[in-house]
Amino acid sequence: MAADKWIFVIVIMLMAIGTVFSYSLPIYIETKYNYGEWHFFIRYITFASLGIIIMMTLAQFNPDKVFKPLGWILFIVGLITIFIMPKLPPSLCPIIKGARRWIALGGGLRISPLEFFKVGLIFFFAWSFSRKLIPKHFTSLKEEFTAIWPYLFLLSVVALVIIIFQSDLGETLLILMIFIVMLMFTKLSPKIFGILILIGIIFFGVGMMGKSYRIARLKSALYNIYLMLPDGIQKWFNVNISSYDISYQLRQSMNAIHNGGFFGVGIGNGQLKMGFLSDVHTDFVLSGIAEETGLLGVLLVIILITLLIWRIFKIANHIKTKRQIDYVYQLFCVGVGVLIGFETLLNVLGIIGMLPLKGLPIPFVSYGGSSLLAFSIACGMVLMISKKVNLK
């Protein structure tokens, strides 16, 4: 059977949107740093083209022969890389905004190993759950906790490295959310998920307290939620408004969304991208799209991503689990769908102030070579798996 064409079509459409706004949105940065007019456009096109080639290539392979080796490479190489990055010299692993998240490749190009490691980690969870959890029949909470303890230990170590050296609480939260959702497809009882969620909340709270700017972001998000409440409910909280404020970035993001209205001001005509809203082509790409194409443009992106997730879940649902490797395929598809969904959700909630902004990209739309290639590999592996199912 052929690979699923609709996943490929949807990804191409998202990349087309990303291409347009990689040219329109970074104009201020290009002027400020004397980049050429086509600087980000050319780089986006280059990585997007490479991503398309990756997806087309992976779609041709037999998953029974290629899927597991590729998954292990992504997991092992990614795991080793994020552990050795703190030991690399600044020339190879530069400190940018107080964090060591990228490895310099030369020529101004940098790669984020964490983006690829997330795909490898999803594979590892799928492979290990299908062997250690799905076949078992647990009789007590103690047995369940004993079974998942090694995963919690691995997640704790990885989280500490990411938080301490990469200063990235958002990615850590995302990985934990993926782990919990994938775990729901095993035979564990609901009690264990309650415990995991409690652990996650405690871990998130400790992480927030570790940096003052994280607390400031949380206060800003809570204040913005407070402003959205009806006047009658606001009185119940008795908040001293003078002691809070919306962060500058969030204020500009909201201004961009407001300026765009329903139809937008036109592609290329946005004003907030002119130095008012930094990272408008990466973290705040949806804000830039909202200003220039309005709510319609944002809805188009959200609908396409929703269709992509639905198609991936549909593939997972149609896999006939007759072998252990079939469970791996199924869980991997679930994990990729959850990864795409949560990254989008956390970004959307961040740019409207409902959550502290986590610096997570909009899949295939935000500028960033590592993100583009990692998502392309993930979707390419799903396309490889899709040849095992019969979708109508």
Side-chain angles (χ1 to χ4, degrees):
M1 286 180 285
D4 183 60
K5 64 179 181 180
W6 289 110
I7 288 180
F8 188 78
V9 170
I10 295 169
V11 168
I12 293 296
M13 293 175 70
L14 288 170
M15 285 182 172
I17 295 172
T19 299
V20 171
F21 289 99
S22 69
Y23 174 77
S24 173
L25 296 181
I27 183 171
Y28 173 78
I29 299 176
E30 291 171 338
T31 303
K32 181 179 179 180
Y33 294 102
N34 295 317
Y35 294 143
E37 178 184 0
W38 302 91
H39 176 82
F40 291 101
F41 176 84
I42 292 174
R43 288 198 171 194
Y44 183 94
I45 283 288
T46 301
F47 283 110
S49 300
L50 184 56
I52 292 171
I53 293 172
I54 288 173
M55 285 192 295
M56 293 177 64
T57 302
L58 291 178
Q60 306 305 313
F61 291 128
N62 182 348
D64 291 339
K65 296 181 179 180
V66 176
F67 178 81
K68 286 176 64 175
L70 177 58
W72 279 116
I73 290 172
L74 290 169
F75 175 70
I76 295 174
V77 174
L79 185 64
I80 293 174
T81 303
I82 64 172
F83 274 105
I84 67 172
M85 283 176 67
K87 302 296 183 180
L88 295 177
S91 58
L92 289 177
C93 187
I95 301 175
I96 302 175
K97 296 182 180 180
R100 298 167 67 98
R101 301 176 185 173
W102 296 273
I103 293 179
L105 300 179
L109 293 177
R110 296 189 297 267
I111 191 170
S112 173
L114 185 57
E115 296 292 341
F116 302 92
F117 174 66
K118 287 185 295 187
V119 181
L121 191 60
I122 289 172
F123 162 79
F124 173 75
F125 287 152
W127 175 84
S128 188
F129 289 178
S130 67
R131 293 167 58 89
K132 303 296 184 181
L133 300 181
I134 290 179
K136 301 293 180 64
H137 296 278
F138 301 102
T139 59
S140 67
L141 190 63
K142 181 179 179 181
E143 286 186 7
E144 293 180 334
F145 192 78
T146 301
I148 67 170
W149 171 248
Y151 304 110
L152 297 179
F153 177 76
L154 172 65
L155 287 173
S156 299
V157 174
V158 170
L160 286 174
V161 173
I162 295 174
I163 291 176
I164 294 175
F165 296 104
Q166 301 194 15
S167 189
D168 202 331
L169 184 61
E171 293 285 11
T172 306
L173 177 62
L174 176 65
I175 290 173
L176 180 60
M177 293 167 72
I178 293 171
F179 170 72
I180 292 176
V181 173
M182 291 183 67
L183 208 60
M184 290 180 178
F185 288 81
T186 64
K187 298 180 180 180
L188 298 182
S189 66
K191 291 182 180 179
I192 202 72
F193 297 108
I195 295 174
L196 290 176
I197 292 172
L198 178 61
I199 293 174
I201 292 173
I202 295 173
F203 179 79
F204 179 75
V206 172
M208 289 295 297
M209 297 301 173
K211 297 287 184 180
S212 59
Y213 70 86
R214 290 175 183 156
I215 299 176
R217 288 176 181 175
L218 180 60
K219 286 183 177 180
S220 178
L222 293 175
Y223 175 67
N224 196 51
I225 295 173
Y226 169 79
L227 293 179
M228 296 179 182
L229 298 174
D231 293 339
I233 298 179
Q234 287 186 10
K235 293 179 181 178
W236 295 352
F237 292 94
N238 193 28
V239 174
N240 180 10
I241 295 179
S242 62
S243 64
Y244 293 87
D245 191 15
I246 298 176
S247 69
Y248 174 82
Q249 283 288 83
L250 178 57
R251 186 183 299 113
Q252 301 307 323
S253 173
M254 298 295 286
N255 286 339
I257 296 171
H258 175 76
N259 290 348
F262 194 79
F263 295 103
V265 299
I267 295 177
N269 296 327
Q271 297 300 311
L272 274 299
K273 67 185 180 184
M274 304 302 293
F276 298 99
L277 186 58
S278 63
D279 299 322
V280 67
H281 59 308
T282 55
D283 298 352
F284 288 95
V285 68
L286 272 187
S287 301
I289 291 174
E291 184 178 22
E292 299 197 350
T293 63
L295 180 61
L296 283 178
V298 174
L299 285 177
L300 175 60
V301 173
I302 300 301
I303 289 172
L304 287 173
I305 291 177
T306 302
L307 288 174
L308 177 61
I309 297 169
W310 169 76
R311 198 68 185 178
I312 293 173
F313 283 168
K314 187 174 182 179
I315 291 171
N317 188 52
H318 279 71
I319 294 174
K320 297 179 180 179
T321 51
K322 296 180 179 180
R323 306 169 300 165
Q324 185 266 334
I325 187 62
D326 295 328
Y327 286 106
V328 180
Y329 295 152
Q330 188 176 64
L331 286 174
F332 180 83
C333 290
V334 169
V336 171
V338 171
L339 171 65
I340 294 172
F342 275 141
E343 287 218 6
T344 303
L345 179 63
L346 291 175
N347 184 285
V348 170
L349 294 178
I351 67 170
I352 63 174
M354 299 295 288
L355 283 178
L357 193 69
K358 299 299 181 183
L360 298 170
I362 297 295
F364 299 109
V365 178
S366 296
Y367 174 84
S370 297
S371 172
L372 265 173
L373 294 181
F375 278 119
S376 296
I377 292 173
C379 286
M381 295 173 74
V382 172
L383 287 172
M384 192 191 310
I385 294 170
S386 71
K387 296 194 299 181
K388 306 288 290 185
V389 302
N390 184 20
L391 295 178
K392 297 181 180 180

